[in-house]
Amino acid sequence: MSAHCQLTGARPGFGNTISHSHRRTSRRFDPNVQRKRYWLPSEGRYVRLTLSAKAIKTVDSIGIEAAVVRIRARGEKV
């Protein structure tokens, strides 16, 4: 599963792990991404979205129809 959110566009961030001796090694900060299935009444079908935890809360507040409009405006396929 790709670690990016379809609604917010959150992607992994990159940085360094710094040890006690101050050696730096690369690391990756992944967003909290979940696969979630929603019923889309306008199309009469379920859609499976890859969303971050923050985006799931956004969908709960604005509704799935408005969220799908935003996702499509970003150029993502639903």
Side-chain angles (χ1 to χ4, degrees):
M1 167 171 43
S2 143
H4 83 279
C5 175
Q6 289 181 298
L7 181 60
T8 62
R11 290 189 177 272
F14 295 89
N16 290 307
T17 299
I18 303 180
S19 70
H20 181 70
S21 64
H22 226 66
R23 291 178 70 104
R24 289 171 167 84
T25 54
S26 294
R27 64 159 295 179
R28 193 172 134 141
F29 298 90
D30 286 328
N32 184 6
V33 172
Q34 313 291 325
R35 299 256 305 158
K36 194 148 170 62
R37 192 174 84 144
Y38 290 98
W39 173 252
L40 195 56
S42 64
E43 297 182 14
R45 68 184 180 107
Y46 284 99
V47 291
R48 189 176 299 278
L49 301 175
T50 305
L51 300 172
S52 64
K54 180 182 176 183
I56 291 172
K57 294 173 191 172
T58 303
V59 170
D60 290 344
S61 92
I62 67 172
I64 186 61
E65 296 287 344
V68 167
V69 168
R70 285 189 191 180
I71 292 169
R72 287 185 174 145
R74 289 189 69 245
E76 296 267 348
K77 185 180 174 189
V78 176

